[in-house]
PDB file of all heavy atoms in Angstrom:
ATOM      1  N   TRP A  31      35.459 169.529 349.819  1.00  0.00           N
ATOM      2  CA  TRP A  31      36.869 169.001 349.946  1.00  0.00           C
ATOM      3  C   TRP A  31      37.107 167.952 348.716  1.00  0.00           C
ATOM      4  O   TRP A  31      38.225 168.141 348.077  1.00  0.00           O
ATOM      5  CB  TRP A  31      37.041 168.268 351.270  1.00  0.00           C
ATOM      6  CG  TRP A  31      38.254 167.461 351.370  1.00  0.00           C
ATOM      7  CD1 TRP A  31      39.455 167.945 351.416  1.00  0.00           C
ATOM      8  CD2 TRP A  31      38.379 165.977 351.432  1.00  0.00           C
ATOM      9  NE1 TRP A  31      40.361 166.797 351.508  1.00  0.00           N
ATOM     10  CE2 TRP A  31      39.674 165.691 351.523  1.00  0.00           C
ATOM     11  CE3 TRP A  31      37.420 164.992 351.414  1.00  0.00           C
ATOM     12  CZ2 TRP A  31      40.069 164.436 351.558  1.00  0.00           C
ATOM     13  CZ3 TRP A  31      37.886 163.723 351.492  1.00  0.00           C
ATOM     14  CH2 TRP A  31      39.145 163.400 351.505  1.00  0.00           C
ATOM     15  N   ILE A  32      36.173 167.179 348.434  1.00  0.00           N
ATOM     16  CA  ILE A  32      36.359 166.221 347.276  1.00  0.00           C
ATOM     17  C   ILE A  32      36.511 166.968 345.975  1.00  0.00           C
ATOM     18  O   ILE A  32      37.378 166.526 345.232  1.00  0.00           O
ATOM     19  CB  ILE A  32      35.168 165.236 347.285  1.00  0.00           C
ATOM     20  CG1 ILE A  32      35.145 164.352 348.501  1.00  0.00           C
ATOM     21  CG2 ILE A  32      35.229 164.467 345.960  1.00  0.00           C
ATOM     22  CD1 ILE A  32      33.984 163.422 348.718  1.00  0.00           C
ATOM     23  N   LEU A  33      35.674 167.919 345.782  1.00  0.00           N
ATOM     24  CA  LEU A  33      35.720 168.765 344.506  1.00  0.00           C
ATOM     25  C   LEU A  33      37.190 169.394 344.502  1.00  0.00           C
ATOM     26  O   LEU A  33      37.790 169.387 343.346  1.00  0.00           O
ATOM     27  CB  LEU A  33      34.667 169.751 344.442  1.00  0.00           C
ATOM     28  CG  LEU A  33      33.212 169.226 344.185  1.00  0.00           C
ATOM     29  CD1 LEU A  33      32.169 170.111 344.422  1.00  0.00           C
ATOM     30  CD2 LEU A  33      33.057 168.673 342.809  1.00  0.00           C
ATOM     31  N   THR A  34      37.717 170.030 345.555  1.00  0.00           N
ATOM     32  CA  THR A  34      38.940 170.609 345.544  1.00  0.00           C
ATOM     33  C   THR A  34      40.188 169.716 345.428  1.00  0.00           C
ATOM     34  O   THR A  34      41.118 170.014 344.820  1.00  0.00           O
ATOM     35  CB  THR A  34      39.288 171.511 346.765  1.00  0.00           C
ATOM     36  OG1 THR A  34      39.081 170.766 347.892  1.00  0.00           O
ATOM     37  CG2 THR A  34      38.098 172.694 346.767  1.00  0.00           C
ATOM     38  N   MET A  35      39.954 168.493 345.839  1.00  0.00           N
ATOM     39  CA  MET A  35      40.889 167.391 345.647  1.00  0.00           C
ATOM     40  C   MET A  35      41.023 167.078 344.191  1.00  0.00           C
ATOM     41  O   MET A  35      42.069 166.824 343.732  1.00  0.00           O
ATOM     42  CB  MET A  35      40.587 166.217 346.523  1.00  0.00           C
ATOM     43  CG  MET A  35      40.785 166.478 348.105  1.00  0.00           C
ATOM     44  SD  MET A  35      42.616 166.830 348.570  1.00  0.00           S
ATOM     45  CE  MET A  35      43.301 165.360 348.243  1.00  0.00           C
ATOM     46  N   ILE A  36      39.912 166.927 343.513  1.00  0.00           N
ATOM     47  CA  ILE A  36      39.890 166.599 342.074  1.00  0.00           C
ATOM     48  C   ILE A  36      40.306 167.656 341.200  1.00  0.00           C
ATOM     49  O   ILE A  36      41.140 167.329 340.254  1.00  0.00           O
ATOM     50  CB  ILE A  36      38.457 166.033 341.785  1.00  0.00           C
ATOM     51  CG1 ILE A  36      38.098 164.817 342.642  1.00  0.00           C
ATOM     52  CG2 ILE A  36      38.277 165.772 340.288  1.00  0.00           C
ATOM     53  CD1 ILE A  36      36.639 164.440 342.445  1.00  0.00           C
ATOM     54  N   GLY A  37      39.808 168.848 341.460  1.00  0.00           N
ATOM     55  CA  GLY A  37      39.968 169.834 340.426  1.00  0.00           C
ATOM     56  C   GLY A  37      40.334 171.268 340.952  1.00  0.00           C
ATOM     57  O   GLY A  37      40.257 172.241 340.258  1.00  0.00           O
ATOM     58  N   GLY A  38      40.688 171.248 342.262  1.00  0.00           N
ATOM     59  CA  GLY A  38      41.087 172.576 342.818  1.00  0.00           C
ATOM     60  C   GLY A  38      39.860 173.463 343.063  1.00  0.00           C
ATOM     61  O   GLY A  38      38.679 173.102 342.881  1.00  0.00           O
ATOM     62  N   PRO A  39      40.124 174.681 343.431  1.00  0.00           N
ATOM     63  CA  PRO A  39      38.923 175.582 343.690  1.00  0.00           C
ATOM     64  C   PRO A  39      38.179 175.955 342.510  1.00  0.00           C
ATOM     65  O   PRO A  39      37.006 176.353 342.592  1.00  0.00           O
ATOM     66  CB  PRO A  39      39.701 176.816 344.366  1.00  0.00           C
ATOM     67  CG  PRO A  39      41.009 176.760 343.919  1.00  0.00           C
ATOM     68  CD  PRO A  39      41.391 175.258 343.660  1.00  0.00           C
ATOM     69  N   TYR A  40      38.676 175.910 341.346  1.00  0.00           N
ATOM     70  CA  TYR A  40      38.076 176.202 340.099  1.00  0.00           C
ATOM     71  C   TYR A  40      36.856 175.139 339.880  1.00  0.00           C
ATOM     72  O   TYR A  40      35.796 175.510 339.333  1.00  0.00           O
ATOM     73  CB  TYR A  40      38.969 176.336 338.989  1.00  0.00           C
ATOM     74  CG  TYR A  40      39.944 177.419 339.083  1.00  0.00           C
ATOM     75  CD1 TYR A  40      41.259 177.166 339.480  1.00  0.00           C
ATOM     76  CD2 TYR A  40      39.486 178.692 338.858  1.00  0.00           C
ATOM     77  CE1 TYR A  40      42.090 178.239 339.615  1.00  0.00           C
ATOM     78  CE2 TYR A  40      40.321 179.860 339.094  1.00  0.00           C
ATOM     79  CZ  TYR A  40      41.716 179.575 339.447  1.00  0.00           C
ATOM     80  OH  TYR A  40      42.453 180.663 339.690  1.00  0.00           O
ATOM     81  N   LEU A  41      37.167 173.838 340.179  1.00  0.00           N
ATOM     82  CA  LEU A  41      36.036 172.965 339.951  1.00  0.00           C
ATOM     83  C   LEU A  41      34.925 173.051 340.984  1.00  0.00           C
ATOM     84  O   LEU A  41      33.742 172.987 340.665  1.00  0.00           O
ATOM     85  CB  LEU A  41      36.713 171.456 340.289  1.00  0.00           C
ATOM     86  CG  LEU A  41      35.661 170.325 340.024  1.00  0.00           C
ATOM     87  CD1 LEU A  41      34.938 170.459 338.770  1.00  0.00           C
ATOM     88  CD2 LEU A  41      36.205 168.990 340.357  1.00  0.00           C
ATOM     89  N   LEU A  42      35.296 173.591 342.181  1.00  0.00           N
ATOM     90  CA  LEU A  42      34.309 173.954 343.212  1.00  0.00           C
ATOM     91  C   LEU A  42      33.466 175.099 342.606  1.00  0.00           C
ATOM     92  O   LEU A  42      32.198 175.182 342.813  1.00  0.00           O
ATOM     93  CB  LEU A  42      34.936 174.464 344.494  1.00  0.00           C
ATOM     94  CG  LEU A  42      33.992 174.890 345.654  1.00  0.00           C
ATOM     95  CD1 LEU A  42      33.054 173.715 346.104  1.00  0.00           C
ATOM     96  CD2 LEU A  42      34.867 175.218 346.875  1.00  0.00           C
ATOM     97  N   CYS A  43      33.928 176.061 341.921  1.00  0.00           N
ATOM     98  CA  CYS A  43      33.174 177.196 341.376  1.00  0.00           C
ATOM     99  C   CYS A  43      32.423 176.817 340.360  1.00  0.00           C
ATOM    100  O   CYS A  43      31.235 177.123 340.244  1.00  0.00           O
ATOM    101  CB  CYS A  43      34.266 178.257 340.737  1.00  0.00           C
ATOM    102  SG  CYS A  43      35.211 179.229 341.911  1.00  0.00           S
ATOM    103  N   VAL A  44      32.889 175.869 339.545  1.00  0.00           N
ATOM    104  CA  VAL A  44      32.081 175.236 338.392  1.00  0.00           C
ATOM    105  C   VAL A  44      30.799 174.479 338.990  1.00  0.00           C
ATOM    106  O   VAL A  44      29.733 174.612 338.595  1.00  0.00           O
ATOM    107  CB  VAL A  44      32.825 174.371 337.312  1.00  0.00           C
ATOM    108  CG1 VAL A  44      31.960 173.475 336.498  1.00  0.00           C
ATOM    109  CG2 VAL A  44      33.950 175.128 336.661  1.00  0.00           C
ATOM    110  N   ALA A  45      31.159 173.644 339.983  1.00  0.00           N
ATOM    111  CA  ALA A  45      30.070 172.914 340.591  1.00  0.00           C
ATOM    112  C   ALA A  45      29.072 173.719 341.229  1.00  0.00           C
ATOM    113  O   ALA A  45      27.830 173.499 341.227  1.00  0.00           O
ATOM    114  CB  ALA A  45      30.633 171.810 341.610  1.00  0.00           C
ATOM    115  N   MET A  46      29.502 174.796 341.960  1.00  0.00           N
ATOM    116  CA  MET A  46      28.587 175.782 342.527  1.00  0.00           C
ATOM    117  C   MET A  46      27.728 176.429 341.435  1.00  0.00           C
ATOM    118  O   MET A  46      26.579 176.488 341.753  1.00  0.00           O
ATOM    119  CB  MET A  46      29.525 176.862 343.292  1.00  0.00           C
ATOM    120  CG  MET A  46      28.666 177.774 344.110  1.00  0.00           C
ATOM    121  SD  MET A  46      29.798 178.851 344.985  1.00  0.00           S
ATOM    122  CE  MET A  46      30.386 179.940 343.739  1.00  0.00           C
ATOM    123  N   GLY A  47      28.222 176.846 340.442  1.00  0.00           N
ATOM    124  CA  GLY A  47      27.474 177.486 339.228  1.00  0.00           C
ATOM    125  C   GLY A  47      26.417 176.393 338.658  1.00  0.00           C
ATOM    126  O   GLY A  47      25.267 176.808 338.476  1.00  0.00           O
ATOM    127  N   LEU A  48      26.880 175.196 338.496  1.00  0.00           N
ATOM    128  CA  LEU A  48      26.033 174.205 337.881  1.00  0.00           C
ATOM    129  C   LEU A  48      24.897 173.870 338.951  1.00  0.00           C
ATOM    130  O   LEU A  48      23.731 173.590 338.490  1.00  0.00           O
ATOM    131  CB  LEU A  48      26.752 172.928 337.545  1.00  0.00           C
ATOM    132  CG  LEU A  48      27.672 173.088 336.386  1.00  0.00           C
ATOM    133  CD1 LEU A  48      28.482 171.755 336.165  1.00  0.00           C
ATOM    134  CD2 LEU A  48      26.947 173.387 335.071  1.00  0.00           C
TER     135      LEU A  48
END
Side-chain angles (χ1 to χ4, degrees):
W31 170 67
I32 291 167
L33 289 167
T34 59
M35 291 294 294
I36 295 169
Y40 296 105
L41 182 58
L42 181 59
C43 290
V44 169
M46 189 174 68
L48 291 173

